[in-house]
Amino acid sequence: MFVQATTCKHGKTTYVTYLVRESFRTPKGPRSRTICNITALPPQTRELISQSLRGQSFVAGESLQLAQAWSFGGLAVLHQAWEDLGLDTLFNFVADARRVGLLKAMTLGRILFPSAKLALVEHARGTLLAAACGLDQTTEDFDEDDLYAAMDELNGQWVGIEKRLYQQSFPQGVSLVLYDLTSVYFEGDGPEGTSQYGHSRDHRPDRPQVLLAVATDAQGVPLHLEVLRGNRGDTTTLQGLLVTLRRRFGIREAVFVFDGGMSSKVNLEAMDELGLKYVTRLCASKLNELLSSLPSEPSPELWDRTPVMEIVREGKRYVVAGGCWRQQRDEQRRQARLTKAENELQRLAAVKRKKVNPQKLASQVGRALQRLKAHKYFAYAVDPNGQLQWSRRAEVIQAEQIRDGLYLLGTNAGTEQIPSAGVLSHYKNLLEVEDAFCHLKDYLRVRPVFHRRPDRVRNHVRICFLAYWLTAKLERQWRQKDQTIEVHNLLRQLQTIRLGRLEVQGKAFKTMVTQVPRDLNTVLNKLGLLPLFSQPPTWAPGACSK
């Protein structure tokens, strides 16, 4: 049956008649007949009848309720990426399927709601995290002891995992390796032997720490992660990295880029012996030595702030680089030190002392200038009457002004392999490693660390590494589509998309996806992710109680 609308016209008036008709067959062909006339019914009622005859179902509004709604937008993207990147078999060495799901849950949780293991159950409530990881959404409680037991499965397996990720990311190998260090402090004493007091990049010298050594490619996709003792010197870490990368990944020909903290003479000689190329930053004293060896007349390339200037000494290539921003920064820093130092000198000179002690006053002045990092800028003296006199060392300040913003890079690669501009661009790629540390330490909240066992500390950091590897791969894919949005920001925004379950009189009726926010719709369309939200995901359970 169907509703048929017929019109007829009498004069200037048009009449519309709504009839419910039925089709049937006869020996002479199909025919139809009128069942009833529904013209007198309200328009809303006629529309309901029409849709009902087309197979639509209707229920009373007061009997329809939204029973549950789960956040799943970011999880849908990560679940799809996990499958596309072939990570479903990453933990095949784990026999317990639930522990495999817990490892995946901790990895995805680090991206969407980084927190302590104990808080994972709170953050997972109201989401489909358990279902996305192949766990039972109705019963999974993310027990802390079970999470630790799942983490312990990584012991002795990390080398194989890193090899798998490397082969997946770099089937053709890598030609450029960026390497840097950072520190992560502990709340409490930390694990014995691993946590040590050392130079803290977090400005927490009062806390024991470990060092994180991370190697990435030029686009920031991580290759290798190592957890080191917190008191290791930067220069002692590089040769171990070289051995690991050559043995584990078979890297024989690549350019290694690292900061000045690792560029000791021993390390550079070791790289020469291994036939590996490097680009690194050298110390300021080496820069001063090279510039002092230049001709006495000003070099136009240097003083006119050419972006790069190459110097070859004893068969070694050096590149002097800099920029206007660095020049202004150095000028502002020096001016701030001079101002603070002169204010301190004026204060010390104005102090009224009961007993004149020139030696003591001179010592106070020296310590104050050292504290303010301005000692080299001033000449000062205290006369026998205790009068402090000082003056600026104009020649020192002028010499610094000439070299403001300059820094020195060194490489053992020939000009045919890496031109001068390429040396600078390779070094600037270290910003990708800094970004990796930013993700590891801030977005994924690898710090502060509460674990007490060395293996648990390593496995905690490794899970953070897996989370960053996944986001880095997504970021690379999105860059290819001309989208530069932060991955973690978009994923967390997508969590506002929910999966709702409708019930009628207490019985499950339908599962629906909420509408994608308008501001995210365009981005998802460009990234090709809109189909993920056209219908409920296949991995979502039909009924959940959490």
Side-chain angles (χ1 to χ4, degrees):
M1 289 189 291
F2 58 94
V3 175
Q4 182 182 54
T6 60
T7 60
C8 61
K9 200 168 185 179
H10 291 281
K12 296 183 179 181
T13 305
T14 300
Y15 298 93
V16 181
T17 303
Y18 297 91
L19 303 175
V20 176
R21 296 182 62 81
E22 178 185 40
S23 298
F24 60 95
R25 292 184 176 276
T26 69
K28 295 184 179 180
R31 299 288 187 270
S32 65
R33 55 181 171 235
T34 299
I35 302 300
C36 63
N37 189 326
I38 60 173
T39 307
L41 296 177
Q44 297 87 346
T45 306
R46 292 199 302 265
E47 183 63 24
L48 285 174
I49 294 173
S50 177
Q51 293 185 21
S52 297
L53 294 176
R54 288 199 295 265
Q56 298 283 344
S57 300
F58 298 93
V59 296
E62 57 273 11
S63 65
L64 184 67
Q65 63 176 354
L66 178 63
Q68 289 176 319
W70 307 280
S71 299
F72 89 106
L75 284 168
V77 176
L78 290 175
H79 178 80
Q80 184 67 39
W82 190 275
E83 290 187 344
D84 292 344
L85 295 172
L87 300 184
D88 281 338
T89 58
L90 186 65
F91 303 125
N92 275 354
F93 54 86
V94 181
D96 189 332
R98 180 167 178 264
R99 289 185 178 180
V100 172
L102 291 176
L103 286 170
K104 180 178 178 181
M106 286 187 282
T107 304
L108 303 189
R110 277 283 142 190
I111 301 172
L112 295 174
F113 25 79
S115 61
K117 308 295 182 298
L118 187 61
L120 183 61
V121 63
E122 296 296 330
H123 290 289
R125 184 173 288 115
T127 75
L128 288 179
L129 177 63
C133 299
L135 301 171
D136 190 337
Q137 184 76 22
T138 60
T139 61
E140 183 55 57
D141 57 357
F142 295 107
D143 180 74
E144 186 180 19
D145 292 334
D146 294 339
L147 294 174
Y148 287 150
M151 284 175 57
D152 293 342
E153 294 283 355
L154 297 178
N155 292 335
Q157 303 292 337
W158 184 247
V159 173
I161 291 175
E162 272 200 346
K163 286 182 177 180
R164 166 81 179 275
L165 296 179
Y166 178 82
Q167 293 167 359
Q168 202 280 342
S169 298
F170 313 105
Q172 306 300 324
V174 293
S175 59
L176 183 68
V177 178
L178 312 177
Y179 175 63
D180 207 351
L181 296 169
T182 191
S183 58
V184 176
Y185 63 85
F186 290 91
E187 295 292 345
D189 296 331
E192 183 178 356
T194 304
S195 63
Q196 300 287 341
Y197 290 95
H199 172 61
S200 175
R201 278 84 168 175
D202 299 320
H203 308 290
R204 293 302 303 267
D206 60 323
R207 298 289 174 85
Q209 64 177 19
V210 291
L211 295 182
L212 299 185
V214 176
T216 76
D217 77 334
Q219 294 183 330
V221 177
L223 287 73
H224 172 65
L225 169 73
E226 189 58 68
V227 180
L228 307 172
R229 292 193 320 273
N231 59 355
R232 284 279 295 270
D234 291 1
T235 56
T236 66
T237 65
L238 181 61
Q239 293 191 45
L241 170 87
L242 299 178
V243 172
T244 298
L245 294 184
R246 288 166 66 88
R247 180 186 303 164
R248 188 169 299 177
F249 307 129
I251 297 177
R252 294 291 183 269
E253 296 181 3
V255 178
F256 289 79
V257 184
F258 45 91
D259 217 338
M262 281 78 76
S263 60
S264 67
K265 182 178 179 181
V266 174
N267 285 338
L268 300 185
E269 289 177 351
M271 296 198 70
D272 287 332
E273 292 177 1
L274 293 172
L276 297 173
K277 305 304 179 184
Y278 63 80
V279 172
T280 185
R281 180 171 176 174
L282 302 177
C283 61
S285 60
K286 186 65 177 179
L287 172 64
N288 293 334
E289 177 187 336
L290 282 174
L291 295 184
S292 299
S293 67
L294 293 176
S296 56
E297 65 274 8
S299 175
E301 294 91 350
L302 183 62
W303 316 135
D304 291 348
R305 298 291 168 175
T306 301
V308 292
M309 185 185 76
E310 184 169 331
I311 303 173
V312 180
R313 290 288 185 274
E314 300 177 357
K316 297 181 180 180
R317 292 178 66 204
Y318 301 96
V319 173
V320 180
C324 294
W325 178 85
R326 295 179 64 90
Q327 182 181 12
Q328 294 172 2
R329 182 201 62 182
D330 291 349
E331 172 67 28
Q332 291 171 359
R333 285 180 177 176
R334 181 175 54 254
Q335 192 58 45
R337 290 172 182 171
L338 289 171
T339 301
K340 290 180 180 179
E342 288 188 329
N343 291 338
E344 181 66 12
L345 291 172
Q346 291 173 2
R347 187 190 70 81
L348 291 172
V351 173
K352 295 181 179 181
R353 297 171 176 83
K354 295 180 179 180
K355 185 178 180 180
V356 176
N357 188 334
Q359 184 177 0
K360 182 178 180 180
L361 177 56
S363 178
Q364 289 178 339
V365 172
R367 290 197 301 271
L369 292 177
Q370 289 284 4
R371 187 182 72 253
L372 297 172
K373 300 180 180 180
H375 193 276
K376 62 182 177 181
Y377 300 132
F378 291 92
Y380 59 92
V382 182
D383 62 22
N385 296 324
Q387 295 296 318
L388 173 62
Q389 298 176 351
W390 72 87
S391 62
R392 291 187 178 186
R393 291 177 173 172
E395 68 282 358
V396 174
I397 296 175
Q398 184 178 4
E400 272 203 2
Q401 286 176 337
I402 292 175
R403 299 173 184 179
D404 277 349
L406 300 179
Y407 57 96
L408 182 65
L409 303 177
T411 181
N412 62 349
T415 54
E416 67 283 354
Q417 294 175 302
I418 309 177
S420 300
V423 173
L424 177 59
S425 64
H426 283 351
Y427 180 74
K428 287 184 175 181
N429 280 334
L430 276 179
L431 291 174
E432 297 291 345
V433 187
E434 294 295 333
D435 186 59
F437 286 142
C438 184
H439 281 74
L440 283 171
K441 296 173 68 174
D442 293 334
Y443 304 143
L444 305 179
R445 292 188 191 172
V446 72
R447 64 180 181 190
V449 182
F450 297 92
H451 297 287
R452 297 292 175 265
R453 283 172 41 180
D455 61 325
R456 292 251 173 99
V457 171
R458 288 186 173 88
N459 291 337
H460 166 73
V461 175
R462 287 165 178 171
I463 287 174
C464 294
F465 176 89
L466 289 175
Y468 177 64
W469 184 90
L470 183 56
T471 57
K473 292 290 289 184
L474 280 174
E475 184 173 357
R476 173 183 282 186
Q477 294 175 4
W478 294 357
R479 281 181 182 175
Q480 294 172 353
K481 298 178 181 179
D482 297 327
Q483 295 298 308
T484 57
I485 187 171
E486 289 282 356
V487 173
H488 65 281
N489 282 340
L490 178 59
L491 293 175
R492 293 171 191 177
Q493 291 177 41
L494 289 176
Q495 280 298 97
T496 59
I497 303 175
R498 294 175 176 267
L499 187 70
R501 180 161 63 89
L502 300 176
E503 290 185 354
V504 177
Q505 297 178 351
K507 295 183 180 180
F509 173 63
K510 192 174 186 180
T511 302
M512 300 180 65
V513 178
T514 59
Q515 188 174 6
V516 177
R518 185 174 299 178
D519 57 328
L520 297 177
N521 194 78
T522 303
V523 176
L524 292 176
N525 187 41
K526 291 180 179 179
L527 295 175
L529 298 176
L530 269 183
L532 291 177
F533 308 103
S534 61
Q535 58 185 3
T538 56
W539 46 266
C544 304
S545 62
K546 286 199 168 193

